[in-house]
Amino acid sequence: MPTTTAVKPATRPAPAASAAPAAPAAHGGPPKLTAAELHAAQRETLAAPRLRYGLLARALFKQMDLVYGRERTLVKFAMLEFIARVPYQAWERMGYHALSRVRHRSALAKRVHERIEETREEQDNEQWHLLILQDLIQRNGQRQSFVLHRLAPWVVAFFYYHVSWVLFLVKPEWSYRLNADFEDHAEHEYMAYVADHPELAQEPDPGTYADEYGRYASVADLLRQIGHDERVHKLDSLAHMRAPRFQDAPPAA
């Protein structure tokens, strides 16, 4: 099972008050950072140690390495993003079950619904990551096979969904910790990939999803923003470990 050791309090980071965001967060979710903030975020990630991953997370990462190779690639990231959505889908489902039980208690029902909305925002954010990566892959002319890039991710996502759901049912903090491990891994992989490919700084952001996700100075900054999003998701999951059940959710500030 994922480790349940104590974690430090975590909150969502926000851009500096004096800095204008790269684009408005039209659909909610993590903050959009300026170019300077994105470079700072990358340095912070690369300097920070990774979480101590649990057994399930390590098994998942090992499986991805065996199937797609140890090398960091956009295609491999797309497979990770395909899987990344499913814990939020599992939590949303559990949230609606909780909401049906507390619907006659208005204050509690409101808090549960706010947690459901947050899981949908995070799920949507992961979906934008997947769409952006698929667009970059297609522009690079990279081919994807049915078995490795459609069937295999679906099978892994199916398994990961039910693991997240069962863990939440048994002990919710285990489910949140597994997701924190996954998001921490993704955060470090994106930032390391950009560091390994300095040529991305000269590649313009195609802006295919600029209206929904923002436009960036380069593909490097676009991927840094995705990496920072994963950090925010990680911090959210770590924070939720302190109040893991939907009915424990504190009132919105």
Side-chain angles (χ1 to χ4, degrees), residues 32-78:
K32 300 296 188 243
L33 305 187
T34 65
E37 290 168 335
L38 289 170
H39 281 77
Q42 182 185 16
R43 291 192 297 271
E44 291 167 1
T45 296
L46 295 178
R50 297 190 183 220
L51 295 179
R52 185 177 179 182
Y53 301 146
L55 180 62
L56 284 172
R58 294 199 306 271
L60 178 61
F61 303 151
K62 182 66 174 178
Q63 181 184 51
M64 294 295 291
D65 287 345
L66 288 173
V67 175
Y68 300 105
R70 295 181 61 85
E71 182 183 0
R72 302 179 182 99
T73 66
L74 293 181
V75 171
K76 187 177 180 182
F77 291 159

Side-chain angles (χ1 to χ4, degrees), residues 62-233:
K62 182 66 174 178
Q63 181 184 51
M64 294 295 291
D65 287 345
L66 288 173
V67 175
Y68 300 105
R70 295 181 61 85
E71 182 183 0
R72 302 179 182 99
T73 66
L74 293 181
V75 171
K76 187 177 180 182
F77 291 159
M79 300 307 101
L80 287 172
E81 294 296 352
F82 188 92
I83 299 165
R85 304 167 299 170
V86 299
Y88 304 107
Q89 293 169 347
W91 299 339
E92 182 181 1
R93 175 185 174 189
M94 296 299 291
Y96 280 117
H97 283 308
L99 190 60
S100 68
R101 295 194 301 270
V102 303
R103 63 185 183 277
H104 300 301
R105 301 169 61 187
S106 298
L108 181 55
K110 185 174 185 294
R111 296 204 301 272
V112 172
H113 193 270
E114 287 167 351
R115 180 71 68 86
I116 292 171
E117 288 182 325
E118 181 184 326
T119 64
R120 281 204 301 263
E121 283 184 357
E122 292 179 314
Q123 182 184 156
D124 289 346
N125 183 251
E126 299 288 12
Q127 181 66 61
W128 287 121
H129 295 172
L130 177 59
L131 293 175
I132 289 167
L133 288 167
Q134 286 295 156
D135 179 65
L136 293 175
I137 290 167
Q138 291 169 11
R139 289 175 182 275
N140 290 339
Q142 296 171 269
R143 294 187 176 183
Q144 295 174 276
S145 71
F146 173 80
V147 173
L148 284 182
H149 304 110
R150 293 183 64 183
L151 181 60
W154 185 89
V155 171
V156 176
F158 180 83
F159 171 78
Y160 191 38
Y161 174 92
H162 286 89
V163 167
S164 298
W165 185 83
V166 169
L167 289 178
F168 194 94
L169 196 64
V170 175
K171 194 167 185 178
E173 51 263 47
W174 285 350
S175 188
Y176 285 120
R177 181 54 199 245
L178 176 59
N179 190 64
D181 288 352
F182 189 96
E183 300 289 14
D184 181 76
H185 175 75
E187 174 196 350
H188 281 84
E189 290 297 289
Y190 276 114
M191 297 306 195
Y193 178 80
V194 173
D196 291 341
H197 294 274
E199 71 277 7
L200 294 176
Q202 308 304 319
E203 187 175 336
D205 171 14
T208 306
Y209 298 103
D211 289 344
E212 298 83 6
Y213 194 76
R215 184 179 292 275
Y216 299 86
S218 65
V219 170
D221 276 358
L222 176 61
L223 295 176
R224 288 185 183 107
Q225 178 64 57
I226 293 176
H228 184 264
D229 289 354
E230 309 296 18
R231 181 196 299 183
V232 173
H233 296 324

Side-chain angles (χ1 to χ4, degrees), residues 232-253:
V232 173
H233 296 324
K234 172 187 69 177
L235 294 177
D236 283 347
S237 287
L238 292 175
H240 288 327
M241 287 180 67
R242 303 197 304 275
R245 297 188 182 276
F246 284 96
Q247 57 266 33
D248 298 331

